[in-house]
């Protein structure tokens, strides 16, 4: 399995071509072991689906082979003690390699399985997931329970925050820069708007996994000349809301404040993603929890992710979807690594979760 992981890391899958090459490598690896994998292509992004077992229930394992950009040396894996270093080692070629090996092991006892296991390997998670995981979900590949093998230190990432990215077009009135009192400075208005928004109640929401939502002022577009009072300012936000909050209510609250204090302001929602709200009472979660603690001999935590992953596409269709994967560190960073022993345990957990 670790050789497979090293082979995967060597494929420089930080662009569409490289990710497709890694995907085809996975397909061949599976086929050499007698596992039929169906290839799908969407807007030149490749993905694959393989299925074993039978029955009413279906568990999906989802893994992505694309990685964030790295320099050439990061695609040369090396081992130091229990750590395997390389771009994508943790995020998430270790998860993919373990899923492939676990899938292969299960394929040998496929006749005895009382549920279906579907393996989804995809190639665009790091750039949004719209072309592959979302595509598969839209095609009907969902399942009852979905494990995305992102690195979670063998703890269970039950929830993920939702996303609202939006632009606020703040209006002012231009005048000569030497007589600013004759105009209304849109940039200054935008600052006031920002302050008012941060006092709104939607930013105080919390639940068992999160203390509050987050709000990042990501972009400002305004102003052209020193001697002109700007009459327009666009401020752009990335809001991550807590599962349980309602997207529409948040937008309404901002709207109401804007209408009251900043007439003429326009709010444009750029993109949204729902929160992942898998319940801690989900029977699959309970089972995974006990299988994991048994194999790791350590307590397994349930936690909420701040960022979002491909889980959201499945969760949107009603499947219980979680992030669950091996231990590692510094993903998206210089010294990314994964703990080899945790990858072994992870593979055993995946198998045990299905057969027991
Ligand atoms: Zn990832």
């Amino acid at each position: 399995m670790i050789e497979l992981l090293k082979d995967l890391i060597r494929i420089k899958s930080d662009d569409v071509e490289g990710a497709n090459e890694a995907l085809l490598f996975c397909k061949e690896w599976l086929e050499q072991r007698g596992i039929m994998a169906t290839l799908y292509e969407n807007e030149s992004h490749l993905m694959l689906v393989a299925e074993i077992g039978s029955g009413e229930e279906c568990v999906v394992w989802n893994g992505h082979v694309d990685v964030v950009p790295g320099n050439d040396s990061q695609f040369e894996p090396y081992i130091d003690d229990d750590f395997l270093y390389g771009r994508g080692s943790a995020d998430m070629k270790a998860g993919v390699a373990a899923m492939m090996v676990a899938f292969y092991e299960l394929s040998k006892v496929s006749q005895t399985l009382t549920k279906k296991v579907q393996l989804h390997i995809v190639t665009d998670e790091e750039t949004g997931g719209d072309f592959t995981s979302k595509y598969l979900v839209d095609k009907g590949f969902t399942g009852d329970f979905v494990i995305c093998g992102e690195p979670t230190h063998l703890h269970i990432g039950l929830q993920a925050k939702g996303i609202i990215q939006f632009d606020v077009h703040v209006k002012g009135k231009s005048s000569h820069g030497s007589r600013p009192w004759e105009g209304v400075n849109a940039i200054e208005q935008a600052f006031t708007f920002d302050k008012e928004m941060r006092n709104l109640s939607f930013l105080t929401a919390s639940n068992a996994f999160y203390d509050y939502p987050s709000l990042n002022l990501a972009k400002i577009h305004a102003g052209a000349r020193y001697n002109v009072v700007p009459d327009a300012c666009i401020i752009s936000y990335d809001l991550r809301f807590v599962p349980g909050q309602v997207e529409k209510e948040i937008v309404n609250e901002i709207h109401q404040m804007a209408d009251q204090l900043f007439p003429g302001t326009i709010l444009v929602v750029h993109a949204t993603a729902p929160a992942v709200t898998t319940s801690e009472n989900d029977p699959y979660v309970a089972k995974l929890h006990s299988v994991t603690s048994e194999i790791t001999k350590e307590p397994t935590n349930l936690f909420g992710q701040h960022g979002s992953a491909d889980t959201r596409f499945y969760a949107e269709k009603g499947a219980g979807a979680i992030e669950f994967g091996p231990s590692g560190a510094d993903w998206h960073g210089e010294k990314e690594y994964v703990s080899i022993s945790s990858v072994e345990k992870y593979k055993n957990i995946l198998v045990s979760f299905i057969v027991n």
Side-chain angles (χ1 to χ4, degrees):
M1 177 164 61
I2 299 308
E3 282 312 306
L4 166 62
L5 173 53
K6 283 162 82 179
D7 285 343
L8 279 171
I9 292 171
R10 284 189 195 101
I11 303 173
K12 196 171 182 296
S13 57
D14 58 355
D15 58 16
V16 179
E17 256 175 41
N20 284 345
E21 188 191 332
L23 191 282
L24 291 171
F25 173 87
C26 295
K27 183 172 188 283
E28 202 180 311
W29 188 95
L30 292 166
E31 282 173 354
Q32 280 167 355
R33 285 156 187 81
I35 298 164
M36 265 280 299
T38 310
L39 198 65
Y40 294 91
E41 182 176 352
N42 178 30
E43 312 262 345
S44 66
H45 297 265
L46 297 180
M47 69 214 97
L48 70 78
V49 175
E51 185 181 286
I52 48 173
S54 59
E56 290 291 297
E57 284 174 73
C58 179
V59 172
V60 173
W61 296 344
N62 171 295
H64 68 83
V65 287
D66 57 309
V67 298
V68 292
N71 55 52
D72 285 350
S73 67
Q74 287 178 285
F75 295 92
E76 202 37 68
Y78 66 94
I79 292 176
D80 184 10
D81 200 14
D82 184 41
F83 299 145
L84 171 53
Y85 288 84
R87 168 60 79 234
S89 53
D91 185 12
M92 58 164 277
K93 286 174 169 172
V96 172
M99 283 175 171
M100 287 165 66
V101 173
F103 197 81
Y104 170 53
E105 287 184 13
L106 290 176
S107 74
K108 292 188 277 190
V109 294
S110 167
Q111 303 300 326
T112 65
L113 299 180
T114 55
K115 52 173 96 61
K116 286 183 283 202
V117 184
Q118 252 179 32
L119 178 63
H120 296 181
I121 303 182
V122 298
T123 53
D124 76 327
E125 196 275 342
E126 298 292 0
T127 48
D130 285 324
F131 291 113
T132 55
S133 280
K134 183 180 189 302
Y135 180 79
L136 288 179
V137 169
D138 287 344
K139 271 181 110 52
F141 294 105
T142 50
D144 302 294
F145 187 65
V146 181
I147 298 175
C148 289
E150 301 287 356
T152 65
H153 307 282
L154 299 176
H155 297 301
I156 299 174
L158 206 55
Q159 301 198 338
K161 282 178 179 165
I163 307 173
I164 308 174
Q165 292 170 340
F166 59 98
D167 306 316
V168 182
H169 296 247
V170 181
K171 272 214 164 1
K173 182 173 164 287
S174 64
S175 67
H176 195 281
S178 65
R179 305 174 71 84
W181 56 86
E182 288 178 0
V184 178
N185 187 310
I187 296 176
E188 290 171 12
Q189 286 284 90
F191 284 149
T192 318
F193 180 96
D194 181 80
K195 230 167 133 189
E196 290 294 337
M197 186 166 60
R198 286 173 196 277
N199 290 327
L200 294 179
S201 69
F202 76 86
L203 281 172
T204 61
S206 64
N207 72 9
F209 297 105
Y210 300 99
D211 294 335
Y212 36 75
S214 70
L215 183 65
N216 176 41
L217 173 52
K219 295 192 278 183
I220 301 182
H221 289 287
R225 302 170 67 121
Y226 282 98
N227 60 359
V228 174
V229 171
D231 66 348
C233 179
I234 304 172
I235 41 180
S236 303
Y237 291 93
D238 183 356
L239 164 68
R240 305 300 175 105
F241 61 92
V242 171
Q245 286 191 282
V246 181
E247 184 191 308
K248 230 176 116 186
E249 287 173 4
I250 295 171
V251 174
N252 277 346
E253 196 184 356
I254 302 171
H255 257 303
Q256 267 173 18
M257 181 275 286
D259 289 349
Q260 221 174 10
L261 301 177
F262 305 91
T265 296
I266 299 166
L267 197 73
V268 180
V269 174
H270 162 72
T272 64
V276 176
T277 57
T278 306
S279 156
E280 46 202 306
N281 301 319
D282 183 302
Y284 290 101
V285 170
K287 185 176 171 192
L288 183 64
H289 191 269
S290 79
V291 168
T292 303
S293 298
E294 213 178 290
I295 289 180
T296 61
K297 312 256 186 289
E298 273 171 46
T300 307
N301 303 331
L302 303 175
F303 71 99
Q305 287 283 41
H306 291 290
S308 110
D310 282 349
T311 41
R312 67 179 187 276
F313 302 118
Y314 298 92
E316 218 178 338
K317 302 283 177 188
I322 58 151
E323 291 176 47
F324 177 65
S327 300
D330 204 22
W331 45 91
H332 297 206
E334 278 278 309
K335 287 272 170 211
E336 177 174 359
Y337 68 82
V338 72
S339 146
I340 294 170
S341 55
S342 80
V343 186
E344 304 281 353
K345 283 180 197 148
Y346 180 61
K347 188 268 294 172
N348 293 338
I349 294 165
L350 290 175
V351 171
S352 179
F353 177 64
I354 299 299
V355 293
N356 292 326

